[in-house]
Amino acid sequence: MRRLIMRTAVLVILLCPVLTAQDIHTGFEEVVQRIQPLEKAEWKIVTEELDDSLQFIRADNNTFLYTGRIDFSDKTAPVLIWEGSTVRFNFTGESLGLRFKPSGSNSAYYNVLLDGKIYLLHLEGTYETDYILQRKLGSGLHTCEVFKRNEAQSDTDSFLGADIAAGSRMSAKPAQKSLLIEFYGDSITAGACNEIPGKDNYVDMVQHNCYTSYAAMTCRALYADLSDISVGGTGVCVSWNEVIMSKCWKNLYCSPSSVLYDFDGRTPDIVVVNLGQNDFGWTQNEHLPFPDGFESAYLNLLREIRAQYPDAWIISATGGMSAVMQSRQLSAGIAHAVKAMNEPKVLSMKFRAYTYDHPRADTHERMADELETFIKTNVTLPGRSW
């Protein structure tokens, strides 16, 4: 019997095709196209004064609505730091331009959602630049949302304002969405590598996109505003870079030396924490044991978040990649920390959808479906019915 089983196993291995990264990551392009159907349009780059056909509206105009953790120390040039940060506004007229002072990383990509259509904008250089959409709009009212696709450690850009047709006007400030969800995570939650057809890489940053991450998809499904504080490589105790989330989650910028965020603005209704992948992955790569202090550090992080947000629901999520499947210490540490919190508004969930490398958009979509269902099933909010 044992010999028969071994022969069967060998036969199965021989019959199975050898899968490459290209084979594994096929089919997600359809998901990207469905979620994010990009329009074909060009942006004219202007670094000198605008002509008389356009008027400039400064970023401190009270008709702009900002979401995300943003640096407003200069209100005329707020810095869009974190992935998923947005600027929303309404305007009239037949023209639209956006003025930025890019960081110079050349890895800055934005989705510009104009009247329901999505245009891709790539920022380059370090000079104040107007990007004028080369498409004539109707003369009526238009809605616009500028969405930052890339991680905070990739680039930070100053938004200076909008260009609209001379004689047109800004309309009423858009309303905030009725729900705010804040995420603390790593590259999974940031959307790293989620539109790459082959192996994980950091060559073309247009293929790293928070807009097609599970965090952003969940927020759109629940009609919620997004705050995404996620850093590729970060962990609770260790990190592939200098940012350790348990020590930096209160920072304004993606840096351990950053000033603290003031937390004076809107507070989230729900906080999702998805960390631990790199605590396992980095130590495995370095041939080190799993961090002894992981459970206490994770528990302390939950306690700090609770102290900052006394009324928020906290969801301790795990998964999206394989660490939680491979490490009992990781899964047990998180479970024990949640149990130690001992309160009904601190919940745990485990994503069933996962991949061994970074999840692509199709896996993100399944993760978003799971999180949406979990929230609707377990979270209750005053005046909110699912």
Side-chain angles (χ1 to χ4, degrees):
M1 177 63 74
R2 182 179 178 184
R3 186 173 298 173
L4 177 60
I5 292 173
M6 290 179 65
R7 287 177 178 173
T8 303
V10 171
L11 180 62
V12 170
I13 291 172
L14 291 174
L15 290 175
C16 288
V18 177
L19 296 179
T20 66
Q22 183 72 34
D23 295 321
I24 294 169
H25 297 305
T26 56
F28 76 90
E29 294 94 339
E30 179 275 328
V31 175
V32 173
Q33 176 61 26
R34 173 164 43 81
I35 293 170
Q36 179 188 256
L38 295 176
E39 296 288 321
K40 293 182 178 180
E42 295 183 357
W43 298 85
K44 180 181 178 181
I45 296 176
V46 179
T47 57
E48 301 175 350
E49 283 192 32
L50 296 173
D51 62 40
D52 293 340
S53 67
L54 293 170
Q55 58 176 320
F56 174 62
I57 310 298
R58 290 196 333 183
D60 59 349
N61 189 287
N62 62 12
T63 57
F64 289 110
L65 175 70
Y66 296 90
T67 65
R69 192 172 290 187
I70 294 171
D71 183 357
F72 287 106
S73 55
D74 180 354
K75 291 183 173 56
T76 65
V79 183
L80 306 183
I81 303 167
W82 296 91
E83 62 275 7
S85 297
T86 67
V87 186
R88 298 204 294 267
F89 58 97
N90 301 317
F91 67 99
T92 65
E94 298 181 344
S95 302
L96 173 66
L98 300 167
R99 183 176 297 181
F100 279 93
K101 188 176 188 300
S103 63
S105 69
N106 290 334
S107 62
Y109 291 90
Y110 289 80
N111 279 354
V112 179
L113 288 80
L114 178 59
D115 297 335
K117 296 181 178 180
I118 307 176
Y119 302 87
L120 178 65
L121 173 61
H122 180 205
L123 307 188
E124 299 180 78
T126 58
Y127 300 101
E128 291 188 10
T129 303
D130 294 276
Y131 298 85
I132 313 299
L133 181 64
Q134 298 299 284
R135 177 164 293 191
K136 187 176 181 180
L137 310 177
S139 58
L141 181 66
H142 306 287
T143 63
C144 183
E145 175 180 323
V146 182
F147 183 103
K148 186 176 188 289
R149 294 165 52 121
N150 298 106
E151 287 188 52
Q153 62 183 342
S154 296
D155 68 273
T156 58
D157 308 293
S158 297
F159 174 74
L160 306 181
D163 309 309
I164 61 175
S168 60
R169 59 181 176 80
M170 297 289 281
S171 189
K173 185 176 184 176
Q176 291 179 337
K177 295 178 181 177
S178 58
L179 185 67
L180 173 62
I181 307 178
E182 188 157 86
F183 290 79
Y184 293 94
D186 49 37
S187 55
I188 301 169
T189 309
C193 302
N194 63 343
E195 295 183 11
I196 296 176
K199 295 180 180 180
D200 287 359
N201 67 77
Y202 288 81
V203 176
D204 188 352
M205 296 308 293
V206 75
Q207 297 174 320
H208 301 246
N209 186 2
C210 179
Y211 190 84
T212 51
S213 72
Y214 80 91
M217 290 189 215
T218 301
C219 285
R220 289 196 295 273
L222 296 174
Y223 195 70
D225 282 324
L226 167 67
S227 175
D228 194 340
I229 313 300
S230 299
V231 181
T234 195
V236 177
C237 294
V238 299
S239 177
W240 294 85
N241 52 58
E242 62 181 358
V243 179
I244 297 176
M245 186 59 75
S246 61
K247 299 178 180 179
C248 298
W249 75 275
K250 290 186 176 182
N251 291 2
L252 175 59
Y253 281 84
C254 178
S255 167
S257 60
S258 167
V259 298
L260 295 176
Y261 182 56
D262 59 24
F263 290 97
D264 286 341
R266 184 182 180 191
T267 59
D269 303 282
I270 301 170
V271 176
V272 178
V273 180
N274 187 0
L275 292 164
Q277 174 68 34
N278 293 306
D279 292 273
F280 173 72
W282 184 85
T283 51
Q284 287 284 298
N285 186 73
E286 299 296 317
H287 306 289
L288 295 171
F290 188 78
D292 286 336
F294 178 83
E295 182 180 323
S296 60
Y298 193 94
L299 175 58
N300 187 62
L301 174 61
L302 293 182
R303 286 173 172 165
E304 288 184 357
I305 292 172
R306 167 55 72 228
Q308 187 64 56
Y309 301 131
D311 300 320
W313 288 82
I314 300 174
I315 299 174
S316 172
T318 55
M321 289 178 71
S322 61
V324 71
M325 307 294 183
Q326 297 175 276
S327 173
R328 292 183 179 180
Q329 291 167 295
L330 171 61
S331 55
I334 293 173
H336 293 161
V338 172
K339 184 176 180 180
M341 289 294 288
N342 191 31
E343 61 163 290
K345 292 179 73 172
V346 178
L347 309 173
S348 62
M349 74 161 289
K350 180 179 178 180
F351 288 108
R352 290 177 294 173
Y354 74 96
T355 56
Y356 284 94
D357 50 7
H358 284 94
R360 286 359 187 213
D362 54 341
T363 304
H364 277 277
E365 185 175 47
R366 293 194 295 272
M367 292 173 68
D369 289 343
E370 290 182 46
L371 183 54
E372 178 191 355
T373 298
F374 182 89
I375 290 173
K376 288 181 175 179
T377 303
N378 296 280
V379 172
T380 57
L381 295 168
R384 178 97 184 194
S385 61
W386 307 111

